[in-house]
């Protein structure tokens, strides 16, 4: 039964691509007793559900048998150590790319430019190309050897065999002095350099996907001060312990307030800028910020049980479960690669049998391998991504790699967060309800008094006045507001409970404003409320136009927010969304995205807060507004740097266009191979012509990709 299953998290070292993760996953799934296995390449963690019949040692053996390493004594929860794979692998690839490029450029120039050639230049070319093919290209050779040991082939196999064959044949021609032979050192070097460059871009983009979890983990505090003054490490904090939280400090863990009163900035969870007033008996969430007032909190949840830990878990699960759509080249490689190798071997055998000419036989066989070598295929995806993402950057759109482009293809629903996405994300004074004729004077006094408070609503009121008066006798009334003197006049600013009475008509006007989703703060002299200050998070000027642009692309738009229903209805109706879902927590947001997916929708999620991170990761396409938090940006697939919602429609359009270019590249690259291999096998294309044809194929891929530079908004 599922309840009897054990769960093991194993940290895997040495995975270089998503295909590696898939291979580990398949091997783990074949172990007796394993019910399910999931390998998250972003975190480097294999999560396995299994019965007691399979031990963790069996699982580790299944991983190491493939040539990967298992990190000892890792539970998979130390996010700061192994998020996003092995950083040293990325650096190693970077070094190999740099060395390969530095050596390949002179190799290519000497081989192709006749004026640069001199007696014996072939030996110089051989010396320059050899470390490129065998040291920089060892990535492909090592993968080939590992795969062959397990009876499988990949595109790495063809890269390895093609480049080694080109080098071996060239070495034979050079050493033996075969006049009719041609050397192909530069062909092998160029192939290694270009494909290695694409692999480095892929690894770099994939590693960054793990930064969302690291950023979440960094939100927590390191030490906690207990009520007796003792300072303890967060890891040593236990349920039931009581700790002190001073103004401006983060609350260490989830708990209940047992002493004091304050307002807490809980935007990490709610996504809303309005702080929550808390007092004795109220629950608080770890990593939220105590805005003002000292409080004592009793810990109710610690470690992996806290809300922050649960959000981290949600992001991990969503990233790990996201379908990694393999590139078309990888999908056919299981057939294409062995077929190409067999054709090369058959070509060699038939030419030897029919003609007995070793030179012509080997020339035709090598031509098959060279023409098969996927230079254009290797360029098709990374070059399209490079140009597309470059154009996106010019437009203020950051795209996180090829998987993102593929995931936009069938997106038919867009889910938008409210605060910071549709709205400005900051509180502003929108109106003054003033039955009194002295509203400007009262606003000046209220703004002056609130200038002494750090509360976000106070700042909105304070910013409404150009200048402030002299404040004395300032006092914070917990849960109600503030009182004091401004220019020797008694002034009170806060909730209804702060005042003994209200001027006629103020209550009705305030109720209407609150019904429309605004927050109303009252101000007045001598404990009588005389004006109402309407505070709201204003809608961005471009939001309505942006939503219309999304709908014009046949995308269904839903507003998803943690705010109350009234505010959500007001904002949603104003900007014209199709559906409105309000009053949801982070786990609810991710669950709603998942529900939409189960209903057959391909969902793009747009958000800017930490609370949006799980939903951004769960969505088929996560889009972060760049003015939001780093966590949301790292958890997303696309980032809108400007914060302008209109760029979301542009981003989706650009991503679809880029994917179309990449698919065109792949199609023509495959057509080229399918047509050229038979010609090479029949001896119509010798290796030199095959090399030129391969270059033309690559040139097409390059020129086709560069069309993206002209993409228009």
């Amino acid at each position: 039964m599922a309840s009897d299953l054990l769960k093991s998290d194993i940290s895997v070292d040495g995975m270089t691509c998503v295909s590696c993760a898939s291979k580990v996953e398949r091997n783990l799934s074949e172990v007796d007793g394993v019910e399910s296995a999931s390998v998250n390449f972003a975190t480097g963690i294999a999560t396995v559900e299994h019965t007691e019949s399979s031990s963790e040692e069996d699982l580790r053996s299944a991983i190491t048998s493939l040539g990967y390493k298992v990190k000892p004594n890792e539970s998979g929860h130390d996010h700061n150590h192994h998020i996003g794979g092995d950083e040293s692998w990325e650096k190693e690839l970077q070094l190999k790319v740099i060395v390969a490029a530095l050596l390949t450029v002179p190799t290519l120039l000497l081989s192709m430019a006749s004026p640069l050639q001199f007696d014996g230049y072939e030996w110089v070319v051989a010396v320059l190309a050899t470390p490129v093919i065998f040291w920089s290209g060892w990535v492909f050779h090592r993968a080939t050897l590992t795969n062959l040991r397990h009876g499988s082939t990949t595109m790495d196999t063809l890269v390895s065999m093609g480049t080694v064959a080109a080098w071996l044949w060239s070495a034979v021609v050079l050493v033996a002095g075969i006049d009719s032979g041609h050397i192909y050192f530069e062909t092998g070097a160029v192939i290694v350099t270009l494909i290695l460059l694409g692999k480095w871009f892929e690894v770099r983009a994939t590693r960054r996907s793990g930064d969302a979890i690291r950023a979440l983990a960094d939100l927590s505090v390191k030490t906690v001060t207990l009520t007796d003054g003792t300072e303890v490490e967060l890891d040593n904090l236990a349920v039931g312990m009581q700790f002190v939280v001073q103004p401006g400090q983060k609350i260490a863990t989830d708990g209940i307030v047992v002493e004091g009163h304050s307002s807490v900035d809980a935007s990490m969870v709610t996504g809303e800028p309005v702080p929550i007033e808390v007092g004795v008996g109220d629950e608080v969430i770890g990593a939220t910020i105590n805005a003002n007032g000292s409080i004592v909190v009793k810990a109710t949840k610690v470690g992996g049980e806290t809300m922050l830990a649960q959000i981290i878990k949600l992001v991990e699960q969503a990233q790990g479960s996201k379908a990694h759509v393999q590139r078309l080249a990888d999908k056919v490689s299981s057939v294409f690669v062995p077929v190409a190798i067999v054709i090369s071997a058959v070509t060699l055998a038939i030419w030897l049998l029919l003609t007995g000419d070793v030179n012509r036989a080997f020339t035709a066989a090598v031509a098959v391998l060279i023409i098969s070598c996927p230079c254009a295929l290797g360029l098709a995806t990374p070059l399209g991504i490079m140009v597309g993402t470059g154009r996106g950057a010019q437009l203020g759109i950051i795209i996180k790699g090829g998987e993102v482009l593929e995931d936009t293809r069938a997106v038919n629903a867009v889910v938008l967060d409210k605060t910071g996405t549709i709205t400005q994300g900051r509180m502003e004074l929108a109106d003054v309800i003033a039955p009194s004729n002295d509203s400007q004077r009262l606003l000046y006094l209220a703004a002056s008094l609130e200038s002494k408070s750090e509360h976000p609503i106070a700042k909105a009121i304070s910013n409404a006045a150009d200048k402030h008066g002299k404040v004395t006798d300032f006092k914070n009334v917990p849960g109600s507001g503030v009182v004091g003197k401004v220019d020797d006049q008694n002034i009170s600013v806060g909730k209804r409970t702060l005042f003994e009475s209200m001027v006629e008509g103020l209550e009705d006007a305030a109720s209407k404003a609150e019904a429309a989703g605004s927050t109303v703060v009252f101000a007045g002299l001598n404990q009588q409320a005389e004006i109402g200050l309407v505070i709201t998070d204003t809608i961005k000027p471009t939001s309505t136009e942006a939503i219309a642009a999304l709908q014009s692309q046949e995308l269904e738009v839903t507003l998803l927010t943690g705010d109350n229903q009234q505010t959500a209805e007001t904002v949603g109706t104003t900007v014209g969304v199709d559906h409105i879902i309000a009053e949801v927590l982070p786990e609810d947001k991710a669950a709603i995205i998942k529900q939409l997916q189960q209903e057959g929708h391909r969902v793009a999620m747009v958000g800017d807060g930490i609370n949006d991170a799980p939903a951004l990761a769960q969505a088929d396409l996560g889009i972060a507004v760049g003015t939001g938090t780093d966590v949301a940006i790292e958890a997303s697939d696309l980032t809108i740097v400007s914060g302008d919602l209109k760029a979301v429609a542009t981003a989706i359009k650009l991503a679809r266009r880029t994917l179309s270019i990449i698919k065109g590249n792949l199609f023509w690259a495959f057509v080229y191979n399918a047509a050229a291999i038979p010609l090479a096998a029949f001896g119509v294309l010798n290796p030199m012509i095959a090399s030129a044809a391969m270059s033309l194929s690559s040139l097409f891929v390059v020129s086709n990709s560069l069309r993206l530079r002209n993409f228009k908004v």
Side-chain angles (χ1 to χ4, degrees):
M1 295 177 63
S3 59
D4 298 327
L5 292 178
L6 304 175
K7 182 179 179 182
S8 297
D9 290 330
I10 305 172
S11 186
V12 185
D13 192 15
M15 295 189 297
T16 62
C17 62
V18 175
S19 295
C20 294
S22 299
K23 187 160 55 177
V24 172
E25 193 171 290
R26 285 196 302 271
N27 218 42
L28 285 170
S29 299
E30 293 173 359
V31 175
D32 289 338
V34 171
E35 293 293 325
S36 67
S38 175
V39 180
N40 188 332
F41 178 57
T43 60
I45 298 171
T47 301
V48 186
E49 289 188 339
H50 57 99
T51 62
E52 292 182 355
S53 63
S54 56
S55 66
E56 191 162 311
E57 187 58 37
D58 294 332
L59 304 178
R60 290 170 178 263
S61 297
I63 296 171
T64 55
S65 68
L66 295 174
Y68 303 105
K69 297 178 182 178
V70 174
K71 294 182 182 179
N73 302 320
E74 291 280 4
S75 65
H77 296 292
D78 187 0
H79 304 290
N80 287 312
H81 286 87
H82 52 255
I83 294 170
D86 192 349
E87 186 177 1
S88 62
W89 167 238
E90 181 186 342
K91 291 181 177 178
E92 180 185 341
L93 265 182
Q94 184 178 17
L95 177 61
K96 288 182 179 294
V97 169
I98 292 172
V99 171
L102 291 175
L103 295 177
T104 297
V105 170
T107 298
L108 195 60
L109 290 174
L110 282 173
S111 300
M112 298 299 181
S114 299
L116 297 178
Q117 294 174 355
F118 49 85
D119 290 341
Y121 80 92
E122 298 93 340
W123 291 97
V124 175
V125 168
V127 170
L128 291 171
T130 297
V132 176
I133 294 171
F134 290 102
W135 183 77
S136 292
W138 179 244
V139 173
F140 308 113
H141 309 319
R142 179 178 58 196
T144 296
L145 293 173
T146 300
N147 289 325
L148 288 177
R149 282 202 301 269
H150 296 279
S152 63
T153 58
T154 64
M155 297 306 289
D156 286 340
T157 307
L158 205 52
V159 173
S160 177
M161 293 190 68
T163 53
V164 170
W167 186 90
L168 285 174
W169 176 250
S170 301
V172 169
V173 170
L174 187 60
V175 173
I178 302 175
D179 295 333
S180 60
H182 186 83
I183 62 172
Y184 305 103
F185 290 118
E186 79 286 352
T187 300
V190 168
I191 290 170
V192 166
T193 302
L194 292 175
I195 299 179
L196 199 62
L197 180 64
K199 185 177 283 288
W200 175 65
F201 277 116
E202 179 181 346
V203 170
R204 188 182 178 199
T206 305
R207 245 193 67 77
R208 285 201 298 268
S209 68
D211 289 345
I213 304 172
R214 179 164 35 244
L216 283 169
D218 288 343
L219 287 172
S220 60
V221 300
K222 307 303 178 187
T223 59
V224 186
T225 302
L226 302 181
T227 50
D228 61 2
T230 305
E231 192 170 275
V232 300
E233 297 289 329
L234 180 61
D235 291 342
N236 295 326
L237 187 66
V239 172
M241 287 185 175
Q242 296 185 7
F243 56 93
V244 180
V245 188
Q246 299 292 347
Q249 290 184 340
K250 289 181 179 178
I251 298 172
T253 193
D254 297 0
I256 296 176
V257 177
V258 295
E259 184 180 321
H261 190 284
S262 184
S263 57
V264 174
D265 178 1
S267 57
M268 180 201 80
V269 176
T270 65
E272 303 306 319
V274 181
I276 300 172
E277 300 292 337
V278 297
V280 176
D282 291 330
E283 293 185 356
V284 290
I285 299 170
T288 56
I289 301 172
N290 180 24
N292 52 34
S294 177
I295 57 175
V296 176
V297 178
K298 179 181 178 181
T300 56
K301 293 179 181 178
V302 295
E305 299 301 317
T306 64
M307 176 71 78
L308 178 61
Q310 293 303 310
I311 291 177
I312 292 174
K313 185 178 179 181
L314 285 169
V315 176
E316 279 186 320
Q317 289 176 344
Q319 287 187 339
S321 64
K322 187 181 291 185
H324 294 289
V325 183
Q326 291 185 330
R327 293 186 177 91
L328 187 54
D330 290 333
K331 288 182 178 180
V332 303
S333 64
S334 59
V335 175
F336 180 76
V337 175
V339 166
I341 294 170
V342 169
I343 291 174
S344 178
V346 170
T347 299
L348 177 65
I350 291 177
W351 275 95
L352 286 174
L353 288 173
L354 295 180
T355 66
D357 189 332
V358 177
N359 184 42
R360 291 195 65 184
F362 202 74
T363 297
V366 169
V368 170
L369 280 178
I370 291 176
I371 206 74
S372 301
C373 209
C375 187
L377 294 179
L379 277 173
T381 298
L383 190 59
I385 292 171
M386 286 170 62
V387 180
T389 53
R391 179 57 179 151
Q394 292 176 330
L395 299 172
I397 301 164
I398 308 302
I399 304 172
K400 282 191 177 179
E403 297 255 351
V404 176
L405 304 171
E406 293 171 329
D407 287 337
T408 65
R409 179 168 49 117
V411 165
N412 55 18
V414 177
V415 176
L416 304 174
D417 176 47
K418 180 181 72 68
T419 305
T421 302
I422 294 177
T423 65
Q424 298 285 4
R426 62 179 181 271
M427 305 306 290
E428 295 180 355
L429 179 64
D431 192 15
V432 177
I433 303 170
S436 167
N437 294 325
D438 199 17
S439 61
Q440 288 304 311
R441 174 65 179 170
L442 288 168
L443 175 59
Y444 159 77
L445 295 174
S448 299
L449 185 65
E450 291 284 35
S451 68
K452 297 299 181 181
S453 174
E454 296 298 319
H455 198 290
I457 289 180
K459 288 185 177 297
I461 297 171
S462 176
N463 292 337
D466 295 331
K467 60 180 181 178
H468 299 142
K470 181 181 179 181
V471 179
T472 57
D473 298 337
F474 178 84
K475 181 182 178 182
N476 179 55
V477 182
S480 294
V482 293
V483 297
K485 289 184 178 181
V486 178
D487 298 340
D488 293 326
Q489 282 190 279
N490 291 315
I491 180 75
S492 301
V493 184
K495 296 180 179 179
R496 290 173 174 80
T497 55
L498 190 63
F499 302 91
E500 293 180 357
S501 62
M502 287 191 181
V503 298
E504 187 178 352
L506 181 57
E507 176 63 37
D508 290 341
S511 297
K512 288 180 181 179
E514 289 172 334
S518 298
T519 298
V520 179
V521 176
F522 300 94
L525 304 175
N526 303 316
Q527 294 189 319
Q528 182 182 44
E530 299 178 60
I531 63 171
L533 305 173
V534 181
I535 311 298
T536 188
D537 182 10
T538 58
I539 296 172
K540 292 180 180 179
T542 58
S543 290
T544 302
E545 182 183 348
I547 290 168
L550 290 169
Q551 291 168 334
S552 70
Q553 296 187 52
E554 298 183 355
L555 297 168
E556 197 171 282
V557 183
T558 299
L559 171 60
L560 183 64
T561 178
D563 209 346
N564 64 71
Q565 189 69 36
Q566 284 185 329
T567 302
E569 291 283 354
T570 300
V571 173
T573 302
T574 301
V575 297
V577 298
D578 299 307
H579 308 288
I580 299 170
I581 304 174
E583 300 177 8
V584 290
L585 291 174
E587 57 266 34
D588 298 323
K589 288 189 175 184
I592 289 169
I593 297 294
K594 196 169 186 178
Q595 181 181 340
L596 288 171
Q597 291 169 328
Q598 290 171 346
E599 292 173 358
H601 293 288
R602 296 279 290 182
V603 183
M605 169 70 192
V606 187
D608 79 318
I610 295 170
N611 62 299
D612 300 320
L616 287 167
Q618 175 65 48
D620 299 291
L621 181 67
I623 303 176
V625 178
T627 50
T629 65
D630 290 340
V631 175
I633 292 170
E634 295 300 341
S636 67
D637 303 305
L638 290 172
T639 298
I640 307 304
V641 177
S642 65
D644 188 344
L645 196 57
K646 284 196 302 182
V648 173
T650 301
I652 294 176
K653 184 178 178 182
L654 172 62
R656 287 176 171 175
R657 179 61 178 156
T658 304
L659 177 61
S660 176
I661 290 289
I662 290 174
K663 293 179 77 173
N665 287 347
L666 289 170
F667 173 78
W668 287 108
F670 279 122
V671 167
Y672 149 80
N673 281 109
I677 288 175
L679 295 176
F682 285 109
V684 176
L685 297 178
N686 63 35
M688 184 170 64
I689 297 175
S691 178
M694 185 180 65
S695 298
L696 289 174
S697 175
S698 299
L699 181 62
F700 167 80
V701 168
V702 170
S703 59
N704 191 43
S705 298
L706 290 178
R707 292 166 53 207
L708 285 168
R709 293 188 303 181
N710 300 319
F711 173 83
K712 302 296 183 182
V713 178

